Amino acid sequence: MRILVVEDEKRLAASIKRGLETDGFTVDVALDGIDGRWHATEHPYDAIVLDIMLPGLNGYLLCAELREARNWTPILMLTAKDGELDEAEALDTGADDFLRKPFAYVVLLARLRALLRRSGRVQPAVFEVGDLAIDPLARTCTRAGTPIALTAREFAVVEYLTRRAGEVVSKNDLLNNIWDFDFDGDPNIIEVYIRRLRKKLDEPFGVTSIDTVRGAGYRLCAVDASSTP
């Protein structure tokens, strides 16, 4: 799932980004309100973490602009310590929830996940494709009931493929939704992760669930390891 963090404190923004990526999210960061507005209007996000005090365009105005444009992406607004008026104005301008600074990362994560649940953007709770099961909230992956250990990025790739099971997913789709929009590395990194996933998800069970569609991308298919001789 892709999150936009609009926060001008560079160390805080980097810390939030690092934490969310460790937990399997894809994160873009904007350091001012103008850049935040551009990101929020040009790209789809599952949620936005938005600070109030921003250069260029403050969080209240950015939130109001997005809502006026009928952009209903869930917004978690970061407010000042002891800022009851900030909290009230945050909700009045269209924010879905607020979090008072300073905060613990685990609280930010819990608030964000609750926000995503309320918005319905994490349903169903568990995705199943054949006997492969992905639980985005618990960050677990199993095949035929057997737990499979995945890195955060591996989990993000298989989760995206699972959400689009049966469809052909291009390399660009994977790069844009799991890596940063401005990723300028080798796009063959996708092939590396597909090989890793095949070694973990398919080979130990004697199945082939991730197909390569030549010239187009990859497709996750429903298979049942228990029916394989």
Side-chain angles (χ1 to χ4, degrees):
M1 304 189 78
R2 180 174 291 277
I3 308 296
L4 173 63
V5 176
V6 189
E7 168 60 65
D8 65 323
E9 295 181 36
K10 292 183 179 180
R11 292 181 62 183
L12 177 58
S15 177
I16 294 173
K17 176 180 172 70
R18 185 167 56 250
L20 290 176
E21 287 181 338
T22 298
D23 280 296
F25 293 92
T26 300
V27 183
D28 294 322
V29 171
L31 297 175
D32 61 64
I34 302 298
D35 192 31
R37 178 172 59 189
W38 182 86
H39 276 278
T41 54
E42 291 295 319
H43 304 300
Y45 290 97
D46 293 286
I48 298 173
V49 178
L50 177 62
D51 189 29
I52 291 177
M53 301 303 293
L54 294 167
L57 183 70
N58 69 46
Y60 295 136
L61 293 176
L62 175 53
C63 181
E65 284 189 16
L66 292 176
R67 296 310 189 227
E68 288 173 6
R70 303 186 68 80
N71 182 329
W72 306 117
T73 303
I75 293 176
L76 175 62
M77 192 169 282
L78 306 181
T79 68
K81 182 179 180 181
D82 299 325
E84 286 81 3
L85 293 178
D86 288 346
E87 294 163 3
E89 189 166 355
L91 297 175
D92 286 341
T93 55
D96 298 274
D97 198 1
F98 58 83
L99 182 60
R100 189 178 299 181
K101 292 181 178 180
F103 54 82
Y105 171 74
V106 290
V107 176
L108 171 71
L109 181 61
R111 288 287 187 93
L112 196 54
R113 285 179 169 166
L115 192 59
L116 291 168
R117 285 197 299 272
R118 291 200 299 272
S119 71
R121 296 188 177 218
V122 294
Q123 299 298 325
V126 178
F127 293 92
E128 295 182 348
V129 182
D131 60 5
L132 180 67
I134 299 291
D135 186 333
L137 291 182
R139 315 305 296 173
T140 59
C141 173
T142 61
R143 163 144 273 155
T146 302
I148 300 171
L150 300 174
T151 66
R153 189 78 76 178
E154 289 169 350
F155 189 92
V157 173
V158 73
E159 180 185 349
Y160 189 74
L161 291 173
T162 302
R163 289 176 182 269
R164 296 185 55 183
E167 301 177 24
V168 176
V169 179
S170 69
K171 285 184 180 180
N172 282 339
D173 282 340
L174 289 166
L175 285 172
N176 288 338
N177 284 277
I178 298 171
W179 278 260
D180 295 334
F181 281 115
D182 58 356
F183 176 79
D184 59 359
D186 186 349
N188 289 327
I189 188 67
I190 299 298
E191 296 178 13
V192 173
Y193 276 86
I194 293 296
R195 284 198 299 271
R196 290 180 183 176
L197 288 172
R198 284 172 172 156
K199 288 182 179 180
K200 292 185 176 184
L201 302 178
D202 289 353
E203 292 181 12
F205 302 92
V207 298
T208 301
S209 63
I210 304 177
D211 292 336
T212 298
V213 181
R214 189 174 298 276
Y218 304 96
R219 178 172 51 217
L220 181 66
C221 303
V223 297
D224 189 344
S226 62
S227 64
T228 303

